[in-house]
Coordinates of all heavy atoms in Angstrom, one line a residue:
Chain A
A30 N 173.6 23.9 107.3 CA 172.2 24.5 107.4 C 171.4 23.6 108.2 O 170.6 24.0 109.1 CB 171.6 24.6 106.0
K33 N 172.5 24.1 111.9 CA 172.0 25.3 112.5 C 170.5 25.3 112.8 O 170.0 25.8 113.8 CB 172.3 26.5 111.6 CG 173.8 26.8 111.5 CD 174.1 27.9 110.5 CE 175.6 28.0 110.2 NZ 175.8 28.9 109.0
W34 N 169.8 24.7 111.8 CA 168.3 24.6 112.0 C 168.0 23.8 113.2 O 167.2 24.2 114.1 CB 167.7 23.9 110.8 CG 166.2 23.9 110.8 CD1 165.4 22.9 111.4 CD2 165.3 24.8 110.2 NE1 164.1 23.3 111.2 CE2 164.0 24.4 110.5 CE3 165.5 25.9 109.4 CZ2 162.9 25.0 110.0 CZ3 164.4 26.6 108.9 CH2 163.1 26.2 109.2
M36 N 169.9 23.1 115.8 CA 170.3 23.8 117.1 C 169.2 24.9 117.5 O 168.9 25.0 118.7 CB 171.6 24.5 116.8 CG 172.8 23.5 116.7 SD 174.3 24.3 116.3 CE 174.8 25.1 117.8
A37 N 168.7 25.6 116.5 CA 167.6 26.6 116.9 C 166.3 25.9 117.3 O 165.7 26.4 118.3 CB 167.4 27.5 115.7
A38 N 166.0 24.8 116.7 CA 164.7 24.2 117.0 C 164.7 23.4 118.4 O 163.7 23.2 119.0 CB 164.3 23.2 115.9
Y39 N 165.9 23.0 118.8 CA 166.1 22.3 120.1 C 166.6 23.2 121.2 O 166.6 22.8 122.3 CB 167.0 21.1 119.9 CG 166.3 19.9 119.2 CD1 166.3 19.8 117.8 CD2 165.6 19.0 120.0 CE1 165.6 18.7 117.2 CE2 165.0 17.9 119.3 CZ 165.0 17.8 118.0 OH 164.3 16.7 117.4
W40 N 167.1 24.4 120.9 CA 167.8 25.2 121.8 C 166.9 25.4 123.1 O 165.7 25.6 122.9 CB 168.1 26.6 121.2 CG 169.0 27.4 122.1 CD1 170.3 27.4 122.1 CD2 168.6 28.4 123.0 NE1 170.8 28.3 123.0 CE2 169.7 28.9 123.6 CE3 167.3 28.8 123.5 CZ2 169.7 29.9 124.6 CZ3 167.2 29.8 124.5 CH2 168.4 30.3 125.0
P41 N 167.4 25.5 124.3 CA 168.8 25.5 124.7 C 169.4 24.1 124.9 O 170.5 24.0 125.2 CB 168.8 26.3 126.0 CG 167.5 25.9 126.6 CD 166.5 25.8 125.5
E42 N 168.6 23.0 124.7 CA 169.1 21.7 124.8 C 169.9 21.3 123.5 O 169.6 21.9 122.5 CB 168.0 20.7 125.1 CG 167.2 20.9 126.3 CD 168.0 20.8 127.6 OE1 168.9 20.0 127.6 OE2 167.7 21.6 128.5
P43 N 170.8 20.4 123.6 CA 171.5 20.0 122.4 C 170.6 19.4 121.4 O 169.6 18.7 121.8 CB 172.6 19.0 122.9 CG 172.6 19.1 124.3 CD 171.3 19.7 124.8
K47 N 172.1 12.9 115.2 CA 171.8 12.6 113.8 C 171.7 13.9 113.0 O 172.0 13.9 111.8 CB 170.5 11.8 113.6 CG 169.3 12.4 114.2 CD 168.1 11.4 114.2 CE 166.9 12.0 114.9 NZ 165.9 11.0 115.1
F48 N 171.2 15.0 113.6 CA 171.2 16.3 112.9 C 172.5 17.0 113.0 O 172.8 17.7 112.0 CB 170.0 17.1 113.4 CG 168.7 16.5 113.2 CD1 167.7 16.5 114.3 CD2 168.3 15.9 112.0 CE1 166.5 15.9 114.1 CE2 167.1 15.3 111.9 CZ 166.2 15.3 112.9
E52 N 172.8 13.6 109.2 CA 172.5 12.3 108.5 C 171.3 12.5 107.6 O 171.2 11.8 106.6 CB 172.2 11.3 109.6 CG 173.4 10.9 110.4 CD 173.0 10.0 111.6 OE1 171.9 9.4 111.6 OE2 173.8 9.9 112.6
Y53 N 170.4 13.4 108.0 CA 169.3 13.8 107.1 C 168.8 15.1 107.8 O 169.2 15.5 108.9 CB 168.2 12.8 107.0 CG 167.6 12.3 108.2 CD1 166.5 12.8 108.7 CD2 168.2 11.2 108.9 CE1 165.9 12.4 109.9 CE2 167.6 10.7 110.1 CZ 166.4 11.3 110.6 OH 165.9 10.8 111.7
P55 N 165.7 17.6 109.4 CA 164.4 17.5 110.1 C 163.3 17.7 109.0 O 163.5 18.5 108.1 CB 164.5 18.6 111.1 CG 165.9 18.9 111.3 CD 166.6 18.6 110.0
E56 N 162.2 17.1 109.3 CA 161.0 17.2 108.4 C 160.7 18.7 108.2 O 160.2 19.1 107.1 CB 159.8 16.4 108.9 CG 160.0 14.9 109.0 CD 160.7 14.5 110.3 OE1 161.2 15.4 111.0 OE2 160.7 13.3 110.5
D57 N 160.8 19.5 109.2 CA 160.3 20.8 109.2 C 161.4 21.8 108.6 O 161.1 23.0 108.5 CB 159.9 21.3 110.6 CG 160.9 21.0 111.6 OD1 161.2 19.8 111.7 OD2 161.3 21.9 112.4
D59 N 163.5 24.1 106.3 CA 163.0 24.9 105.1 C 164.2 25.1 104.2 O 165.1 25.9 104.5 CB 162.5 26.2 105.6 CG 161.9 27.0 104.4 OD1 162.1 26.6 103.2 OD2 161.2 28.0 104.6
A62 N 164.6 28.8 103.1 CA 164.5 29.8 104.1 C 165.3 31.1 103.7 O 164.8 32.2 104.0 CB 165.0 29.3 105.5
W63 N 166.5 30.9 103.1 CA 167.3 32.1 102.8 C 167.3 32.3 101.3 O 168.2 32.9 100.7 CB 168.7 32.0 103.3 CG 168.7 32.3 104.8 CD1 168.5 31.4 105.8 CD2 168.8 33.6 105.4 NE1 168.5 32.1 107.0 CE2 168.6 33.4 106.8 CE3 169.0 34.9 104.9 CZ2 168.7 34.5 107.7 CZ3 169.0 35.9 105.8 CH2 168.9 35.7 107.2
G64 N 166.2 31.9 100.6 CA 166.0 32.3 99.2 C 166.4 31.1 98.3 O 167.1 30.2 98.7
R98 N 145.9 45.6 108.1 CA 146.7 46.1 109.3 C 147.7 45.0 109.8 O 148.7 45.4 110.3 CB 145.7 46.4 110.4 CG 144.9 47.7 110.2 CD 144.0 47.9 111.4 NE 142.9 47.0 111.3 CZ 142.3 46.3 112.3 NH1 142.8 46.6 113.5 NH2 141.3 45.5 112.2
A99 N 147.3 43.8 109.6 CA 148.2 42.7 110.1 C 148.0 41.4 109.4 O 146.9 41.2 108.8 CB 147.9 42.6 111.6
G100 N 149.0 40.6 109.5 CA 148.9 39.2 108.9 C 149.5 38.2 109.9 O 150.4 38.5 110.6
L101 N 148.8 37.1 110.0 CA 149.2 36.1 110.9 C 149.3 34.7 110.3 O 148.6 34.5 109.2 CB 148.2 36.0 112.1 CG 148.1 37.2 113.0 CD1 146.9 37.0 113.9 CD2 149.3 37.5 113.8
N102 N 150.1 33.8 110.9 CA 150.1 32.4 110.4 C 149.0 31.7 111.0 O 148.9 31.5 112.3 CB 151.5 31.8 110.8 CG 151.7 30.5 110.3 OD1 150.8 29.8 109.7 ND2 152.9 30.0 110.4
G103 N 148.0 31.3 110.2 CA 146.8 30.6 110.8 C 146.9 29.2 111.1 O 146.3 28.6 112.0
G104 N 147.8 28.5 110.3 CA 147.9 27.1 110.5 C 148.7 26.4 109.3 O 148.9 27.1 108.3
M105 N 149.0 25.2 109.5 CA 149.8 24.4 108.5 C 149.3 23.0 108.5 O 148.9 22.5 109.5 CB 151.3 24.5 108.8 CG 151.8 25.9 108.8 SD 153.4 26.0 109.7 CE 154.5 25.3 108.5
N106 N 149.3 22.4 107.3 CA 148.9 21.0 107.1 C 149.9 20.4 106.2 O 150.0 20.9 105.0 CB 147.5 21.0 106.6 CG 146.9 19.6 106.4 OD1 147.7 18.7 106.1 ND2 145.6 19.5 106.4
C107 N 150.6 19.4 106.6 CA 151.7 18.9 105.8 C 151.6 17.4 105.7 O 151.5 16.7 106.7 CB 153.0 19.3 106.4 SG 154.4 19.0 105.4
T108 N 151.8 16.9 104.5 CA 152.0 15.4 104.3 C 153.4 15.2 103.8 O 153.9 15.9 102.9 CB 151.0 15.0 103.2 OG1 149.7 15.3 103.7 CG2 151.1 13.5 103.0
Y109 N 154.1 14.2 104.4 CA 155.5 14.0 104.1 C 155.7 12.8 103.2 O 155.0 11.8 103.2 CB 156.3 13.8 105.4 CG 156.4 15.0 106.2 CD1 155.6 15.2 107.4 CD2 157.2 16.1 105.8 CE1 155.7 16.4 108.1 CE2 157.3 17.3 106.6 CZ 156.5 17.4 107.7 OH 156.6 18.5 108.5
G110 N 156.8 12.9 102.4 CA 157.2 11.8 101.5 C 158.6 11.4 102.0 O 158.8 11.0 103.1
R112 N 162.7 11.7 102.8 CA 163.5 12.6 103.6 C 164.4 13.5 102.8 O 164.7 13.2 101.6 CB 164.4 11.9 104.6 CG 163.6 11.3 105.8 CD 164.6 10.5 106.6 NE 164.0 10.1 107.9 CZ 164.4 9.2 108.7 NH1 165.4 8.4 108.4 NH2 163.8 8.9 109.8
R134 N 137.6 39.0 116.2 CA 137.6 40.1 117.1 C 138.3 41.3 116.6 O 138.1 42.4 117.1 CB 138.2 39.7 118.5 CG 139.7 39.3 118.4 CD 140.2 38.7 119.7 NE 141.5 38.2 119.6 CZ 142.6 38.9 119.9 NH1 142.5 40.2 120.3 NH2 143.8 38.3 119.8
M135 N 139.1 41.1 115.5 CA 139.8 42.3 114.9 C 139.0 42.7 113.6 O 139.6 43.5 112.9 CB 141.2 41.9 114.6 CG 142.1 41.4 115.8 SD 142.2 42.7 117.0 CE 143.4 43.8 116.2
K156 N 157.4 16.8 100.4 CA 156.3 17.2 101.3 C 155.3 18.1 100.5 O 155.7 18.8 99.5 CB 156.7 17.9 102.6 CG 157.5 19.1 102.5 CD 157.9 19.6 103.9 CE 159.0 20.6 103.9 NZ 159.3 21.0 105.3
T158 N 152.6 21.0 101.6 CA 152.2 21.8 102.7 C 151.1 22.8 102.3 O 151.2 23.5 101.3 CB 153.4 22.6 103.3 OG1 154.5 21.7 103.5 CG2 153.0 23.3 104.6
N160 N 149.6 26.1 103.7 CA 149.8 27.2 104.7 C 148.5 28.0 104.7 O 148.0 28.5 103.6 CB 151.0 28.1 104.3 CG 152.3 27.4 104.6 OD1 152.7 27.3 105.8 ND2 152.9 26.9 103.6
I163 N 146.2 34.5 107.8 CA 145.0 35.3 108.2 C 145.5 36.7 108.1 O 146.5 37.1 108.7 CB 144.6 34.9 109.7 CG1 144.2 33.5 109.8 CG2 143.5 35.9 110.2 CD1 144.0 33.0 111.3
Y165 N 143.9 40.9 108.4 CA 142.8 41.7 108.8 C 143.2 43.2 108.8 O 144.4 43.5 108.8 CB 142.2 41.3 110.1 CG 143.2 41.2 111.2 CD1 143.7 42.2 112.0 CD2 143.8 39.9 111.5 CE1 144.6 42.1 113.0 CE2 144.7 39.7 112.5 CZ 145.1 40.8 113.2 OH 146.1 40.7 114.2
Chain B
F12 N 157.6 17.7 125.0 CA 158.8 18.5 124.6 C 158.5 19.9 125.1 O 157.5 20.5 124.7 CB 159.0 18.5 123.1 CG 160.2 19.3 122.7 CD1 161.4 18.7 122.5 CD2 160.1 20.7 122.4 CE1 162.5 19.4 122.1 CE2 161.2 21.4 122.0 CZ 162.4 20.8 121.8
R14 N 159.8 23.9 126.3 CA 160.8 25.0 126.3 C 160.2 26.3 126.8 O 159.0 26.6 126.6 CB 161.2 25.3 124.8 CG 162.0 24.2 124.1 CD 163.4 24.1 124.8 NE 164.2 23.1 124.1 CZ 164.3 21.8 124.5 NH1 163.6 21.3 125.5 NH2 165.1 21.0 123.8
E15 N 161.0 27.0 127.6 CA 160.7 28.4 128.0 C 160.9 29.2 126.8 O 162.0 29.0 126.1 CB 161.6 28.8 129.2 CG 161.2 28.1 130.5 CD 162.1 28.6 131.6 OE1 162.6 29.8 131.5 OE2 162.2 27.9 132.6
A19 N 165.1 34.9 123.1 CA 166.3 34.0 123.0 C 166.0 32.9 122.0 O 166.9 32.5 121.2 CB 166.8 33.5 124.3
N20 N 164.8 32.3 122.1 CA 164.4 31.2 121.2 C 164.1 31.8 119.8 O 164.5 31.3 118.8 CB 163.2 30.5 121.7 CG 163.2 30.1 123.1 OD1 163.3 30.9 124.0 ND2 163.2 28.8 123.3
R23 N 167.0 33.1 117.6 CA 167.7 32.0 117.0 C 167.0 31.4 115.8 O 167.5 31.1 114.8 CB 168.0 30.9 118.1 CG 169.2 31.2 118.9 CD 169.4 30.2 120.0 NE 170.7 30.4 120.7 CZ 170.9 31.3 121.6 NH1 169.9 32.1 122.0 NH2 172.0 31.4 122.2
Y24 N 165.7 31.2 116.0 CA 164.9 30.6 115.0 C 164.8 31.5 113.8 O 164.9 31.1 112.6 CB 163.5 30.2 115.5 CG 162.7 29.3 114.5 CD1 163.1 28.0 114.4 CD2 161.7 29.8 113.7 CE1 162.4 27.2 113.5 CE2 161.1 29.0 112.8 CZ 161.4 27.7 112.7 OH 160.8 26.9 111.8
A25 N 164.6 32.8 114.0 CA 164.6 33.8 112.9 C 165.9 33.7 112.1 O 165.9 33.9 110.9 CB 164.4 35.2 113.5
A26 N 167.0 33.4 112.8 CA 168.3 33.4 112.1 C 168.4 32.3 111.2 O 169.2 32.3 110.2 CB 169.4 33.4 113.1
V27 N 167.7 31.2 111.4 CA 167.8 30.0 110.5 C 166.7 30.0 109.5 O 166.8 29.5 108.4 CB 167.9 28.7 111.2 CG1 169.1 28.6 112.1 CG2 166.6 28.4 112.1
N28 N 165.6 30.7 109.9 CA 164.4 30.6 109.0 C 164.2 32.0 108.3 O 163.2 32.1 107.6 CB 163.2 30.2 109.8 CG 162.0 29.8 108.9 OD1 162.3 29.1 107.9 ND2 160.8 30.0 109.3
D29 N 165.1 32.9 108.4 CA 165.0 34.2 107.9 C 163.6 34.8 108.2 O 162.9 35.3 107.3 CB 165.2 34.2 106.4 CG 165.3 35.6 105.8 OD1 165.5 36.6 106.6 OD2 165.2 35.8 104.6
E30 N 163.2 34.7 109.5 CA 161.8 35.1 109.9 C 161.9 36.3 110.7 O 161.4 36.4 111.9 CB 161.1 33.9 110.6 CG 159.6 34.1 110.6 CD 158.9 32.8 111.0 OE1 159.5 31.7 111.0 OE2 157.7 32.9 111.2
F31 N 162.6 37.3 110.2 CA 162.7 38.6 111.0 C 161.5 39.5 110.7 O 161.6 40.5 110.1 CB 164.0 39.3 110.5 CG 165.3 38.5 110.9 CD1 165.9 37.8 109.9 CD2 165.7 38.5 112.2 CE1 167.1 37.0 110.3 CE2 166.9 37.7 112.5 CZ 167.5 37.0 111.6
I34 N 156.5 41.5 114.2 CA 155.6 41.0 115.2 C 156.4 40.0 116.1 O 155.9 39.8 117.3 CB 154.3 40.3 114.7 CG1 154.7 39.3 113.7 CG2 153.4 41.4 114.1 CD1 153.5 38.5 113.1
A43 N 150.4 46.1 118.1 CA 149.6 46.6 117.0 C 148.8 45.5 116.3 O 147.7 45.8 115.8 CB 150.5 47.4 116.0
A44 N 149.4 44.3 116.4 CA 148.7 43.2 115.8 C 147.6 42.6 116.7 O 147.0 41.6 116.4 CB 149.7 42.1 115.4
G45 N 147.5 43.2 117.9 CA 146.5 42.7 118.8 C 146.9 41.7 119.8 O 146.1 41.0 120.5
N46 N 148.2 41.5 120.1 CA 148.7 40.5 120.9 C 149.4 41.0 122.2 O 150.1 40.2 122.8 CB 149.5 39.5 120.2 CG 148.6 38.7 119.2 OD1 147.8 37.9 119.6 ND2 148.8 38.9 117.9
F50 N 155.4 38.2 119.8 CA 155.0 36.8 120.1 C 155.8 35.9 119.1 O 156.3 36.3 118.1 CB 153.5 36.6 120.0 CG 152.9 37.1 118.7 CD1 152.6 36.2 117.7 CD2 152.6 38.4 118.5 CE1 152.1 36.6 116.5 CE2 152.0 38.8 117.3 CZ 151.8 37.9 116.3
G53 N 154.7 30.8 114.7 CA 154.0 29.5 114.6 C 154.9 28.4 114.1 O 154.8 27.3 114.5
N54 N 155.9 28.8 113.3 CA 156.8 27.8 112.7 C 157.6 27.1 113.8 O 158.0 26.0 113.7 CB 157.7 28.4 111.7 CG 157.0 28.7 110.4 OD1 156.2 27.9 109.9 ND2 157.4 29.8 109.7
L55 N 157.9 27.9 114.9 CA 158.7 27.3 116.0 C 157.9 26.3 116.8 O 158.4 25.2 117.2 CB 159.3 28.4 116.9 CG 160.3 27.9 117.9 CD1 161.4 27.1 117.4 CD2 160.8 29.1 118.7
W57 N 155.5 24.6 115.5 CA 155.5 23.5 114.5 C 156.7 22.6 114.7 O 156.7 21.4 114.7 CB 155.5 24.1 113.1 CG 155.5 23.3 111.9 CD1 156.5 23.1 111.1 CD2 154.3 22.6 111.4 NE1 156.1 22.3 110.0 CE2 154.8 22.0 110.2 CE3 153.0 22.4 111.7 CZ2 153.9 21.2 109.4 CZ3 152.2 21.6 110.9 CH2 152.6 21.0 109.8
A58 N 157.9 23.3 114.9 CA 159.1 22.6 115.1 C 159.1 21.8 116.4 O 159.5 20.6 116.4 CB 160.3 23.5 115.1
Y59 N 158.6 22.4 117.5 CA 158.5 21.7 118.8 C 157.6 20.4 118.6 O 157.9 19.4 119.2 CB 157.9 22.6 119.8 CG 158.9 23.7 120.3 CD1 158.4 24.8 121.1 CD2 160.2 23.8 119.9 CE1 159.3 25.8 121.5 CE2 161.1 24.8 120.3 CZ 160.6 25.8 121.1 OH 161.4 26.8 121.5
H61 N 157.2 18.7 115.9 CA 158.0 17.7 115.2 C 159.0 17.0 116.1 O 159.3 15.8 116.0 CB 158.6 18.3 114.0 CG 157.7 18.5 112.8 ND1 156.7 19.5 112.8 CD2 157.6 17.8 111.7 CE1 156.1 19.4 111.7 NE2 156.6 18.4 110.9
N62 N 159.6 17.9 117.0 CA 160.6 17.3 117.9 C 160.0 16.2 118.8 O 160.7 15.2 119.0 CB 161.3 18.4 118.7 CG 162.0 19.4 117.9 OD1 162.3 19.2 116.7 ND2 162.4 20.5 118.5
R65 N 159.1 13.1 116.6 CA 160.4 12.4 116.1 C 161.0 11.6 117.3 O 161.5 10.5 117.0 CB 161.3 13.5 115.6 CG 162.4 13.0 114.8 CD 163.3 14.2 114.4 NE 162.6 15.2 113.5 CZ 162.5 16.5 113.8 NH1 163.0 17.0 114.9 NH2 161.9 17.3 112.9
G69 N 161.0 7.2 117.2 CA 162.3 6.5 117.2 C 163.0 6.3 115.9 O 162.4 6.7 114.8
E70 N 164.1 5.7 115.9 CA 164.9 5.5 114.7 C 164.1 4.6 113.7 O 163.6 3.6 114.1 CB 166.3 4.9 115.0 CG 167.2 5.8 115.6 CD 167.5 7.1 114.8 OE1 167.6 6.9 113.5 OE2 167.5 8.2 115.3
G71 N 164.0 5.0 112.5 CA 163.3 4.3 111.5 C 161.8 4.6 111.5 O 161.1 4.2 110.6
G72 N 161.4 5.4 112.5 CA 160.0 5.8 112.4 C 159.8 7.0 111.5 O 160.8 7.6 111.1
E73 N 158.6 7.3 111.2 CA 158.3 8.4 110.3 C 157.1 9.3 110.7 O 156.2 8.7 111.3 CB 157.9 7.9 108.9 CG 159.0 7.1 108.1 CD 158.4 6.6 106.8 OE1 157.9 7.4 106.0 OE2 158.4 5.4 106.7
I74 N 157.2 10.6 110.5 CA 156.1 11.5 110.6 C 155.4 11.5 109.2 O 156.0 11.9 108.3 CB 156.5 12.9 111.1 CG1 157.2 12.8 112.4 CG2 155.3 13.8 111.2 CD1 157.9 14.2 112.8
L75 N 154.2 11.0 109.2 CA 153.5 10.9 107.9 C 152.8 12.2 107.5 O 152.8 12.6 106.4 CB 152.6 9.7 107.9 CG 153.1 8.3 108.2 CD1 152.0 7.3 108.3 CD2 154.2 7.9 107.1
S76 N 152.2 12.7 108.5 CA 151.4 14.0 108.3 C 151.2 14.7 109.6 O 151.2 14.1 110.6 CB 150.1 13.7 107.5 OG 149.2 13.0 108.4
I77 N 151.0 16.0 109.5 CA 150.6 16.8 110.7 C 149.9 18.0 110.3 O 150.2 18.6 109.2 CB 151.9 17.1 111.5 CG1 151.6 18.0 112.7 CG2 153.0 17.7 110.7 CD1 152.7 18.1 113.7
E78 N 148.9 18.4 111.0 CA 148.2 19.7 110.8 C 148.0 20.4 112.1 O 147.6 19.7 113.1 CB 146.9 19.5 110.0 CG 145.9 18.7 110.7 CD 145.0 19.4 111.6 OE1 144.9 20.7 111.4 OE2 144.3 18.8 112.5
V79 N 148.1 21.7 112.2 CA 147.8 22.4 113.4 C 147.2 23.8 113.0 O 147.4 24.3 111.9 CB 149.1 22.7 114.3 CG1 149.7 21.4 114.7 CG2 150.0 23.6 113.6
Q80 N 146.5 24.3 113.9 CA 146.0 25.7 113.8 C 146.6 26.5 114.9 O 146.7 26.0 116.0 CB 144.4 25.7 113.9 CG 143.7 25.0 112.8 CD 142.2 25.2 113.0 OE1 141.7 25.4 114.1 NE2 141.5 25.0 111.9
F81 N 147.0 27.7 114.5 CA 147.6 28.6 115.5 C 146.5 29.4 116.1 O 146.1 30.4 115.5 CB 148.8 29.4 114.9 CG 149.9 28.6 114.3 CD1 150.1 28.4 113.0 CD2 150.7 27.8 115.2 CE1 151.1 27.6 112.5 CE2 151.7 27.0 114.7 CZ 151.9 26.9 113.3
R82 N 146.1 29.0 117.3 CA 144.9 29.6 117.9 C 145.2 30.8 118.9 O 144.4 31.7 119.0 CB 144.1 28.6 118.7 CG 143.5 27.5 117.8 CD 142.1 27.8 117.4 NE 141.5 26.8 116.6 CZ 140.9 25.7 117.1 NH1 140.9 25.5 118.4 NH2 140.4 24.8 116.3
P84 N 148.5 33.2 120.7 CA 149.9 33.6 120.5 C 150.8 33.1 121.6 O 150.4 33.0 122.8 CB 149.8 35.1 120.6 CG 148.6 35.5 121.4 CD 147.6 34.4 121.1

Side-chain angles (χ1 to χ4, degrees):
Chain A
K33 291 173 190 170
W34 185 277
M36 290 173 74
Y39 282 89
W40 190 89
E42 302 296 325
K47 60 189 172 189
F48 297 135
E52 293 171 20
Y53 57 92
E56 295 85 349
D57 47 307
D59 187 351
W63 283 90
R98 286 175 289 140
L101 299 171
N102 188 348
M105 299 162 75
N106 181 331
C107 190
T108 302
Y109 292 105
R112 284 176 169 163
R134 64 187 172 93
M135 302 298 286
K156 57 182 166 181
T158 307
N160 286 285
I163 299 173
Y165 51 84
Chain B
F12 182 93
R14 291 292 183 268
E15 292 181 21
N20 311 64
R23 278 176 172 78
Y24 193 74
V27 297
N28 199 34
D29 190 16
E30 200 166 349
F31 295 101
I34 54 175
N46 289 293
F50 53 99
N54 285 322
L55 186 54
W57 180 254
Y59 289 170
H61 281 75
N62 293 350
R65 195 181 295 124
E70 286 304 315
E73 295 176 58
I74 302 171
L75 302 175
S76 64
I77 177 170
E78 63 85 21
V79 300
Q80 293 183 337
F81 299 111
R82 293 267 182 85

